[in-house]
Amino acid sequence: MKVLYFAWVRERIGLEAEEIDLPQGVATVAELAAFLGARGEGYARAFENPRIVRAALDRRHAKPDTPLGAAREIAFFPPMTGG
Amino acid sequence: MFTVRIQAQDFDAAAEAAALARGRTDIGAVVTFAGLCRAQDAPGGAPLIALTLEHYPGMAEEEIGRLMEQARARWPLVGATVIHRYGRMVPGDNIVLVVTASAHRAAAFEAAEFLMDWLKTRAPFWKMEERDDGKGWVAAKDEDDAAAERWA
């Protein structure tokens, strides 16, 4: 699965994007965030407050309990500040 | 016509509004909102040098397109244009444009406000501020969430 990061999530992790093979037991947005948060120091800082980090599944906003299903792309990012 | 554009280059608000109404006789109201880069957030605060807007290419267009569909389902619009810029902007620069056209003013005013309120909380853009004392990401405002929620 392609994982994208934006704004301070991208800065803390140090990557714009990466390919992740989903491990057993990771079936929802929140479970993937928890899995990523355990991958290292930068990831831990990015996901230190999982309730703040937002996600989009195949370019649509997704809630933490949304199943990853057959989605090809997920993005994690801070609350949006455009406009 | 309904158009969403995400671009680095500047826009001409008057030209976009004129383009929406050109050649039509069914439009009685055109509302144009432009959001600009502002130097000062609070009196006495360090002035802003620049804003850099990051976005999620693809999703930004799609999400604003979905908001436009919701606006069309809610108000009798005959046209709308939303342009959102990305990249580095200095105080005085244009950031975002919303133009709505309808037969009557109420629909055009309300739809423009609806689009701006939802765009601020749902369109995937992030602002990085540059001031004399350094750079930092802008935090989302609760009042923007509240402004969007009042349409629900």
Side-chain angles (χ1 to χ4, degrees):
Chain A
M1 185 174 212
K2 188 175 186 188
V3 187
L4 306 176
Y5 307 112
F6 292 98
W8 54 252
V9 175
R10 168 180 58 72
E11 285 185 343
R12 290 178 187 184
I13 291 172
L15 289 173
E16 291 181 7
E18 62 183 322
E19 282 291 332
I20 298 272
D21 291 323
L22 292 181
Q24 286 285 324
V26 172
T28 66
V29 169
E31 286 165 3
L32 179 56
F35 167 77
L36 292 169
R39 291 183 92 206
E41 198 179 327
Y43 290 93
R45 285 191 52 237
F47 290 99
E48 66 191 0
N49 189 345
R51 292 192 347 195
I52 286 186
V53 178
R54 310 290 173 89
L57 212 50
D58 283 342
R59 299 178 179 180
R60 284 175 177 267
H61 290 294
K63 290 190 161 65
D65 60 357
T66 306
L68 299 174
R72 295 162 56 170
E73 181 174 301
I74 190 167
F76 290 100
F77 43 79
M80 288 139 283
T81 55
Chain B
M1 198 154 73
F2 293 85
T3 310
V4 177
R5 298 212 304 272
I6 310 299
Q7 61 190 41
Q9 66 266 35
D10 194 14
F11 54 77
D12 179 337
E16 296 294 339
L20 203 54
R22 187 169 301 129
R24 302 189 64 136
T25 56
D26 55 343
I27 294 174
V30 176
V31 166
T32 305
F33 171 85
L36 278 65
C37 179
R38 174 183 62 227
Q40 202 93 31
D41 255 346
L48 184 88
I49 296 166
L51 273 183
T52 301
L53 272 121
E54 178 171 333
H55 76 298
Y56 183 172
M59 182 177 169
E61 291 88 336
E62 291 170 18
E63 186 63 24
I64 295 173
R66 288 190 279 269
L67 298 177
M68 206 177 255
E69 288 306 311
Q70 288 179 36
R72 292 179 72 174
R74 220 163 148 156
W75 291 281
L77 298 178
V78 294
T81 300
V82 174
I83 300 174
H84 204 306
R85 297 181 65 200
Y86 62 87
R88 189 171 186 270
M89 276 147 240
V90 296
D93 283 355
N94 289 313
I95 300 176
V96 62
L97 177 73
V98 172
V99 187
T100 52
S102 188
H104 300 283
R105 73 180 185 279
F109 271 127
E110 287 174 22
E113 203 167 11
F114 170 93
L115 284 167
M116 265 316 296
D117 284 349
W118 279 113
L119 185 154
K120 287 193 84 89
T121 60
R122 293 192 63 90
F125 287 86
W126 300 274
K127 290 192 183 101
M128 160 80 83
E129 286 182 338
E130 201 179 309
R131 298 182 193 272
D132 271 343
D133 52 357
K135 290 182 176 184
W137 293 100
V138 174
K141 292 193 183 90
D142 289 342
E143 66 203 53
D144 287 338
D145 285 336
E149 291 304 328
R150 76 199 160 105
W151 299 101

